[in-house]
Amino acid sequence: MARVETQQYLGKVYLVGAGPGDPGLMTLKGKQLLEHADVVIYDALVSPPILAMIGDRAERIDAGKRRGRHSKLQSETTRILIEKARTNAVVVRLKGGDPFVFGRGGEEMEDLVKAGVPVEVVPGVTSGIAAPAYAGIPLTYRGYSSSVTFVTGHEAAGKYRPQVNWGAIAQGSETIVIYMGIHNLANIVPELIEGGLSSDTPIALVRWGTLPEQEELVGTLATIVRQVEETRFEAPAIAVIGKVVNLYATLSNCRPSV
């Protein structure tokens, strides 16, 4: 019987959440791993202050994906992770926000486990919580909201067999947080209104949340698409929909320093 050789790996891959951008929101464990890493494969939305935490001896690999521009295919990124784990002790896959919240961390972890690569996830602060907080918008508030739905807006609403049921989301949650939805707002908003939300429902867009260049655009479902067009408000941004947005006028003056 032929002997089957088992691939041996020198090191371990850590899927590390970089948080939303403010270096003060990076976890201590994540920071320690960056300082001692042999290799760091990082995403496009990881902020420069976070990248500055990487130790001088580490090899850096840009695996960023942005709308219309992919530095590397997902399969190639996974291949690099497996390859680097064979010859390096600490391999960090640095992902914006939290690896398991719209960050493909689960997919990458599954591929690594199937390949027999030791892997560990280090959670990060997700932008869907941090960006509204820095804008003075609490996602829950007695009398306004006791439920929150996090959803990706990266797919076009109204497409053939959409994965996101916007009508059900309109009915099922008092606060809706949309990731990566700026480019599809013109499709998403009508479906939310058709699903039962009033056109007067407040909405806030928070761009570059927690960073010094953070900016907000506040309106209603009836006005926000026009506002985005008129101001040329662009991604990356988080959208928050619901009555909690009404608190922005009062609480935005107390935002954390960035």
Side-chain angles (χ1 to χ4, degrees):
M1 180 182 292
R3 190 175 73 177
V4 178
E5 293 187 4
T6 301
Q7 175 67 60
Q8 297 296 315
Y9 293 95
L10 173 66
K12 186 175 186 178
V13 174
Y14 295 87
L15 303 179
V16 177
D22 183 344
L25 297 180
M26 180 74 175
T27 65
L28 289 175
K29 186 170 186 176
K31 180 176 184 292
Q32 291 168 354
L33 284 167
L34 290 182
E35 292 170 344
H36 295 92
D38 299 301
V39 183
V40 178
I41 300 99
Y42 60 92
D43 276 349
L45 290 180
V46 177
S47 67
I50 299 294
L51 294 178
M53 297 178 183
I54 300 173
D56 293 336
R57 70 182 182 87
E59 177 185 0
R60 302 184 182 203
I61 300 173
D62 182 357
K65 295 178 178 64
R66 295 294 298 276
R67 180 180 171 86
R69 179 184 66 82
H70 283 193
S71 175
K72 287 180 172 56
L73 296 175
Q74 186 64 49
S75 58
E76 184 180 359
T77 299
T78 301
R79 179 189 62 78
I80 292 172
L81 288 170
I82 294 172
E83 179 182 289
K84 293 301 179 181
R86 289 173 179 155
T87 55
N88 297 274
V90 180
V91 179
V92 172
R93 175 69 171 106
L94 187 62
K95 307 178 78 65
D98 180 272
F100 281 3
V101 181
F102 305 119
R104 296 188 178 181
E107 299 170 36
E108 292 182 5
M109 193 171 195
E110 183 179 29
D111 289 341
L112 292 168
V113 168
K114 287 180 178 178
V117 180
V119 57
E120 179 181 330
V121 63
V122 180
V125 178
T126 181
S127 58
I129 294 174
Y134 271 53
I137 302 173
L139 299 184
T140 62
Y141 188 89
R142 283 191 300 173
Y144 279 177
S145 173
S146 58
S147 59
V148 183
T149 295
F150 297 96
V151 59
T152 176
H154 197 51
E155 65 167 20
K159 75 174 187 180
Y160 177 67
R161 290 184 180 175
Q163 294 180 351
V164 177
N165 186 334
W166 294 103
I169 289 174
Q171 292 290 328
S173 186
E174 293 159 307
T175 301
I176 302 169
V177 179
I178 303 176
Y179 291 67
M180 302 171 288
I182 300 302
H183 294 288
N184 286 327
L185 271 183
N187 296 314
I188 294 170
V189 166
E191 292 214 10
L192 289 173
I193 294 174
E194 184 178 344
L197 286 185
S198 167
S199 59
D200 293 331
T201 302
I203 176 173
L205 309 181
V206 186
R207 182 173 186 264
W208 293 116
T210 79
L211 293 173
E213 56 267 43
Q214 175 177 315
E215 58 181 325
E216 302 90 31
L217 185 65
V218 178
T220 66
L221 292 182
T223 65
I224 195 64
V225 173
R226 173 176 51 80
Q227 289 175 262
V228 168
E229 294 173 351
E230 291 176 350
T231 61
R232 297 183 179 180
F233 196 91
E234 297 181 346
I238 290 289
V240 185
I241 301 170
K243 292 182 180 179
V244 291
V245 175
N246 290 329
L247 295 164
Y248 171 81
T250 303
L251 303 184
S252 60
N253 293 327
C254 304
R255 72 179 63 193
S257 58
V258 294

